[in-house]
Each structure stands twice: as C-alpha cells, then as structure tokens.
Amino acid sequence: MNRSVLIGVLVFGLVVYGSSCNKEDDGNDVEFRVPSNFPSPTYNFTSNPVTKAGFELGRKLFYDPLLSRDNTISCGSCHIQTSAFTHHGHGLSHGIDDLLGKRNSPPVMNMAWSETFFWDGGVHNLDLVTPNPIENPVEMDLNFSVALDKVRNNLDYKKMFKAAFGSEEVTSAKFLQAMSQFMNMLVSANSRYDKYVRGEGETLTSDEVEGLNLFKQKCSSCHSTDLFTDNEFHNNGLSLAFADSGRYNITLNPSDMGKFKTPSLRNIEKTKPYMHNGSIGSLESVLNHYASGVKQSATLDPLLQQNGQLGIPMTEDEKAKIILFLKTLTDTDFLTDRRFAEF
Amino acid sequence: MKNMKKIFAAAILFTAILSTSSCKKDKDDLTGTGPVTIEFDNRFGDGPLNFGTAYTNQNGEEVTLNLFNYYVSNFVLLKEDGTEYIVPKDECYHLVRHDVTATHSLTINNVPAGEYTKVKFIIGVDSLKSTSDASQRTGDLDVATNGDMYWMWNSGYIFMKMEGTSPSSTEIGNIFNYHIGLYGGYATPTINNLKSVTLSVTDDKIIVGKERAPEVHVYTDAKEVFGSPNPLFVSASAVIMGSPASVNVAANYADMFKLDHVHND
C-alpha cells in the first residue's frame, strides 16, 4: 500500500475515532439483516451463520491476490466496491496476464437472495462460486488446492481461521464459508428508492415517480421485486446469433439458447457497461435497445414481441423518466460502507 | 427395465440354488455388527488395467489410458430375503482413482450381522449432495482435493472420467477425454447420468459379523466405456463432456461392474 494513502487512512481513522462514539462508524457492526422490503433470503444461514471473525476472514480473502497464480489478482480486482462490486469500465472481465474473460463481471451484492449464480445460473449455491474464479485460466488461474495451501502457510490466516471457526485448520469448506460470509453481508438496500418505499421520509420527484410507474408497467415482469430480478432466464433480444449460448450451456435445452439471468438493477448507474457481454455502454442505449433495438430470434422472450411488435414501445420522455427512476436505485451507503472496503 | 427384470429373476433363481446347496457355515458369530470391505479391481477386458498399455477395444480401435476415475455412492447391502441395510449416505461417497491404489477399496463399518447376497450402489453423486452447501462437501467430495472430478461452472461432480490417447483420435496429440457427469439439474431439469448398479454374489455370500471382515471383489471393466449399447468410436467422438452424447457413454459404463468373488474369513 502506498504510504500517503496509509497515512491518510490513519488520520481519517483517528478523526473518525476521535469525533464520534457512533457504533456505525467503527466498522464493527457485523450482523446479517433482512431489509423490510426484501423477500426472505435463499442462503441457508443455519449451516453458515455470519460472525464478525468469519466476515473479516472472508473480507481478507476477497481482497487477497495470494489467491491468484502470480499474486496479482484478487476477487476485488474485478468486483470493485465503488462500482457495486463490478469491474467498472470493463465490458469483459479482465484477469491474469491481461487475459479477457468471455463475460461481464456482475455485481456481487444481495447474493443471499440469489437462487443461482453466474449469467447462466450454472452454480446454485454461493459457497460453490469461489473455486471457479480461482481456477479459471483467464481469471486467477490457480488450482484451488494450491490456493488453500498458500493460505495454510500464512500465519495471519491461521489466527483468523482460529478466531472464525475455532481451529487453525484451513479446510475448503471453512474457506468457502468465510468467503460466503463476506459476500452475504454485501447487502444493498439503502437507496433513495428504498427509503421512499419503506416510508423513511425520503421523497422522489414527480418525474422519478412517473419513471417508477412506467418501470412497473414495462420492466418489472422480469426485473421484479425490490431485488429487481425474477431469478429467471430470458433472451432480451441482444443478438441473432449467440456467441454465448448462456443458459443452454447448463440445461442443454434448445429453448434456453441465448437466455441469461435477469440482472438486478440496483446501483445500475454505477455498473457500466451492461449486459452479459458488456455490449451496451449507457442507460440511454439500454432503453433504446428495449424500445427499438430488440432482435427477433427463436427464443426471444414473448414479452418483447407483443401485438406483432418487437420491443417495448416507449416515447423519449418515458425513456428519460425510467432512467431518472433507475438512478434512485443508487445506494451510496453501500458503495462507501467502510466495512466492505479493502482498507 | 426388461433387463432389470431378467437380472432380478436370475438373481432370485440363483440365490434359491445357493441357499439349498451352500454349505452350512457356523453362524454363531453372526451377531452385532461388522465391516464389509469392497475392493474395486480395475480391468480392461480380461486382464488388469494398466496405464500406458495399448489395448484394442470392441470397435477395433487401439486405446491407451492415462486416467480413470469414478465415484460410487449410496451403498445398500441386501440379504436373500430382500431385507436391506442402507449404508448411511455420508459414510460412503467414494472416489476410485486408478492411479491411487489406496482408493481402490472402501470399508463400510457397522453393518448388521448376517448373510448378504447383493450390493447396490450408484455411479456418481446423487442430486441432493450435488446441490449441497460447502459444509457438506468433505472427504472424497472436497472439490479442492478430488482430482478435478468437479465442474466449477455448474457445480456438478464428474461421475466418470477417462482420458488417454488413441491413433484413431483426430484431436491434437491424439487424445481422448470422456468426462461424464450431470445429476439432473437443480431447479430446471437437465440430463441425468446417475446410474444405479446391483451386483449379486455368485458362489459365496457376504458374511457379516462382529468377528468377521468380508472382502467383496468387484471387477470394473474400463473397456465397457467403449462398448454396448452405444459403441463409442474414438475416431468419431474423442471428447465427450457435458453434452447430450454423455448419455450414451453413461449407458455404456452402467454395466462395467461385476461382483467377481467374496473373501470371507
């Protein structure tokens, strides 16, 4: 770490410490809570409850380039907090040796509610996500058992495993559970929209409210609930020939060709570029895509071809209002929460 | 199903003959519980399987193996009268790796005493286990140490993995790779390549008791992977993994096991 940054952090820490006795600022509050406007989580917390020590171990692992072949890439390299844990500015993920992956890195947030993971939903338990990027030759390129050995040989980790799980022994199950504890804590539920729907005194402008209503009519059958995803797979008309077969890779069912998991739209303002392949660069272009760029193919979602018309009809004014609404989903508390930060 | 019926009928007939003809063993010690060891002897056709040896398969192609692994799990031991002992699942997820001799046998402990005539198991890892969280994936199911018998992109175990070379292969390096998995899917149904196997004793029973340690010798014929009902030509399909063609390979290896003999002592 750069020295001036370190000093800056120290000074900042002192200021915070000196100026407030407020619990929230000390970064010590580690408890998984279900926001009142969210459904129940899907993650099984009984076999892996979040503890402070487990969360801290998970955070250290998440930000540790030790888990890559040449010690250069950590999970945090592609999942950056200020971009809602996506790889800001990268259409396709960018990993070890400057290799490009084949997909856009999705936000790691509200994972505890996810039914499946990855754009094609190939993995169905958060615990089982982690070995994949570690071993992926274009991501961290390290054999999972070698990664575990590297962790085993590190004194700091021994202490942290002991604190989190009562024993210094580093097993793959504990390693994966610690990583899940950190990721499960990455809950984004404090946007202006959230405070508005929970009646916490926040107001939206009339344009934003109109945008919300338009969104409900036109978008929320797929981007549903306050998680803004139905956890299902759809083809939203990005292409005619599928460079990436998406869900088909998992089910081998031709009717799943070119379908991808509906992404959440929380913090969408911060997660450019968009779509599984990062092919759309701005929210304006996303709205233009839905209004007039949808391409016909055998598996195109029926909602995007109603009454013999491709796409979702929208006027310029409507598109602009939907975008205004989407920006109310930006959760600054989440993007700047010091508990989730690397340093 | 038809086949199953036949096998079943044969097994019944067989056990009937056995029970009338077999010598009367001293049953005094058949109390309490005891262990049963199952040993998997990997073969290629009539002889033991050796890596690096060129064999000719049933389709006339020359094949040399350098990797052969498979999962067996969900064991059940059956007595002649049909009563069964279901081995607690978690005690018995076993990965046989041909290159690691210690993995060729597994021991089931605490089996209730008695005379068993059949062993049932599945090739692969059942769907419940395949969709479990990290805390459930220990021992042979630990994805860090199971020798890459796991697909990380769909969190599924590979049930049978065979790799080698063959002059018939058109792949670079003349390799062939058969990685067969898929347990039927989590929320959405996918291909299900789990295969159930029932093996019957021939001229001996598996005699379990607290003073006993029977060893069941199972032959695993790797050649069957290329055999019936779907002749597998390396020349045409040198690489089969998570694709629809995997179904054909799984159907082939479903009958690669044979209970050769039992050592009772």
Side-chain angles (χ1 to χ4, degrees):
Chain A
M1 189 156 73
N2 177 318
R3 223 194 227 173
S4 55
V5 174
L6 187 67
I7 294 174
V9 170
L10 284 179
V11 171
F12 178 77
L14 283 177
V15 172
V16 168
Y17 185 69
S19 69
S20 89
C21 302
N22 188 327
K23 260 232 153 163
E24 264 152 46
D25 285 338
D26 70 3
N28 280 340
D29 173 33
V30 177
E31 193 195 324
F32 179 81
R33 294 191 194 88
V34 179
S36 62
N37 54 327
F38 278 26
S40 344
T42 49
Y43 189 84
N44 178 7
F45 285 95
T46 40
S47 65
N48 185 27
V50 178
T51 63
K52 183 164 182 290
F55 164 83
E56 280 167 1
L57 170 58
R59 177 176 58 202
K60 185 170 162 71
L61 291 168
F62 191 87
Y63 286 113
D64 200 337
L66 184 84
L67 303 182
S68 65
R69 173 179 33 87
D70 61 2
N71 301 319
T72 58
I73 309 275
S74 73
C75 310
S77 309
C78 296
H79 299 289
I80 303 168
Q81 183 181 14
T82 48
S83 308
F85 294 95
T86 62
H87 205 182
H88 179 78
H90 288 266
L92 298 176
S93 69
H94 183 175
I96 203 159
D97 299 334
D98 283 337
L99 292 168
L100 290 182
K102 61 174 185 149
R103 290 184 185 154
N104 185 8
S105 62
V108 178
M109 71 180 166
N110 301 338
M111 290 289 103
W113 288 268
S114 233
E115 282 165 24
T116 60
F117 302 86
F118 299 141
W119 284 101
D120 55 22
V123 172
H124 32 67
N125 189 301
L126 183 59
D127 296 351
L128 277 307
V129 166
T130 296
N132 193 319
I134 293 179
E135 291 213 343
N136 193 326
V138 298
E139 294 184 358
M140 299 160 90
D141 194 26
L142 186 66
N143 187 292
F144 182 37
S145 66
V146 177
L148 288 173
D149 282 339
K150 284 170 94 176
V151 170
R152 262 179 211 122
N153 293 333
N154 179 304
L155 272 179
D156 288 350
Y157 277 123
K158 278 195 178 154
K159 286 185 217 146
M160 293 182 85
F161 271 82
K162 172 120 193 177
F165 298 107
S167 139
E168 284 184 356
E169 195 197 357
V170 177
T171 64
S172 54
K174 289 176 191 168
F175 174 97
L176 298 176
Q177 289 184 324
M179 200 69 110
S180 290
Q181 289 191 32
F182 175 67
M183 293 194 279
N184 275 327
M185 281 298 292
L186 303 177
V187 177
S188 175
N190 259 337
S191 64
R192 285 182 52 225
Y193 165 79
D194 290 295
K195 294 175 187 164
Y196 167 77
V197 291
R198 290 197 299 255
E200 293 171 0
E202 181 70 49
T203 52
L204 298 189
T205 67
S206 60
D207 280 356
E208 287 166 345
V209 172
E210 268 185 63
L212 168 58
N213 291 330
L214 288 163
F215 181 86
K216 282 186 180 155
Q217 287 163 30
K218 296 177 189 291
C219 318
S220 70
S221 14
C222 301
H223 298 284
S224 60
T225 77
D226 275 0
L227 294 159
F228 298 94
T229 171
D230 56 0
N231 277 308
E232 292 291 337
F233 302 85
H234 305 275
N235 169 357
N236 71 343
L238 293 177
S239 73
L240 292 169
F242 307 107
D244 184 337
S245 317
R247 184 67 177 158
Y248 172 83
N249 286 330
I250 303 303
T251 64
L252 302 175
N253 182 342
S255 70
D256 286 332
M257 184 59 80
K259 291 188 181 174
F260 292 87
K261 188 171 65 181
T262 310
S264 168
L265 300 179
R266 292 185 160 273
N267 297 301
I268 194 73
E269 188 188 358
K270 301 288 180 187
T271 64
K272 284 196 275 276
Y274 304 114
M275 307 300 169
H276 72 274
N277 52 5
S279 59
I280 301 190
S282 68
L283 287 175
E284 287 72 19
S285 307
V286 169
L287 272 292
N288 289 337
H289 162 74
Y290 281 113
S292 52
V294 169
K295 300 194 178 57
Q296 173 82 61
S297 64
T299 57
L300 178 65
D301 200 277
L303 286 174
L304 300 176
Q305 44 184 331
Q306 286 177 310
N307 312 318
Q309 199 185 347
L310 276 184
I312 302 174
M314 284 178 283
T315 65
E316 291 306 315
D317 181 58
E318 288 174 329
K319 290 186 213 167
K321 284 174 176 152
I322 291 177
I323 292 175
L324 282 176
F325 158 68
L326 290 176
K327 290 186 175 169
T328 70
L329 297 175
T330 303
D331 177 355
T332 315
D333 290 356
F334 174 70
L335 300 170
T336 59
D337 192 323
R338 297 197 44 80
R339 295 172 304 165
F340 307 151
E342 180 168 8
F343 302 113
Chain B
M1 275 295 106
K2 248 199 194 149
N3 251 340
M4 281 290 266
K5 255 193 202 157
K6 265 194 222 155
I7 294 176
F8 196 61
I12 290 180
L13 189 68
F14 188 58
T15 37
I17 294 170
L18 259 191
S19 51
T20 50
S21 70
S22 87
C23 56
K24 294 200 171 55
K25 267 237 168 164
D26 174 6
K27 287 187 183 178
D28 293 351
D29 59 344
L30 295 194
T31 56
T33 62
V36 173
T37 296
I38 303 178
E39 171 115 19
F40 290 90
D41 297 330
N42 295 328
R43 323 261 300 168
F44 198 96
D46 293 332
L49 171 65
N50 287 310
F51 283 167
T53 301
Y55 300 102
T56 304
N57 69 18
Q58 27 311 57
N59 310 314
E61 293 180 319
E62 187 187 304
V63 293
T64 304
L65 272 57
N66 54 42
L67 191 140
F68 183 51
N69 293 348
Y70 49 88
Y71 268 108
V72 285
S73 68
N74 289 253
F75 281 81
V76 180
L77 300 172
L78 291 100
K79 290 186 190 163
E80 228 164 282
D81 64 5
T83 53
E84 52 183 32
Y85 174 65
I86 301 174
V87 181
K89 269 192 187 185
D90 282 322
E91 282 172 25
C92 226
Y93 286 95
H94 189 80
L95 174 60
V96 176
R97 299 166 68 162
H98 186 65
D99 61 337
V100 185
T101 314
T103 67
H104 296 189
S105 74
L106 65 100
T107 299
I108 302 168
N109 288 310
N110 306 316
V111 179
E115 299 185 347
Y116 294 85
T117 54
K118 286 182 199 175
V119 179
K120 244 167 68 172
F121 58 91
I122 67 173
I123 314 172
V125 177
D126 57 276
S127 60
L128 203 65
K129 203 56 157 184
S130 290
T131 54
S132 64
D133 62 40
S135 66
Q136 302 268 309
R137 298 176 188 247
T138 54
D140 283 8
L141 295 174
D142 186 333
V143 300
T145 52
N146 74 346
D148 293 328
M149 291 292 282
Y150 178 71
W151 283 316
M152 302 203 165
W153 46 270
N154 80 351
S155 52
Y157 288 94
I158 296 170
F159 304 158
M160 192 291 304
K161 198 185 241 192
M162 178 189 275
E163 294 183 355
T165 56
S166 164
S168 305
S169 164
T170 54
E171 297 289 320
I172 296 167
N174 298 115
I175 55 125
F176 62 84
N177 286 340
Y178 303 121
H179 299 182
I180 312 301
L182 300 177
Y183 56 84
Y186 186 55
T188 323
T190 64
I191 289 172
N192 187 337
N193 280 327
L194 287 164
K195 296 289 171 194
S196 169
V197 177
T198 305
L199 303 177
S200 305
V201 295
T202 38
D203 40 41
D204 224 333
K205 293 184 188 176
I206 306 165
I207 304 174
V208 180
K210 67 174 188 287
E211 313 270 280
R212 304 239 179 193
E215 261 180 42
V216 181
H217 282 257
V218 173
Y219 278 4
T220 311
D221 185 1
K223 188 177 177 183
E224 290 292 333
V225 170
F226 301 95
S228 63
N230 309 301
L232 171 58
F233 286 87
V234 180
S235 55
S237 327
V239 176
I240 299 179
M241 298 191 183
S243 72
S246 65
V247 174
N248 297 334
V249 185
N252 286 358
Y253 70 60
D255 57 5
M256 69 177 167
F257 297 98
K258 183 179 133 213
L259 201 164
D260 191 70
H261 59 279
V262 181
H263 289 170
N264 285 300
D265 61 17

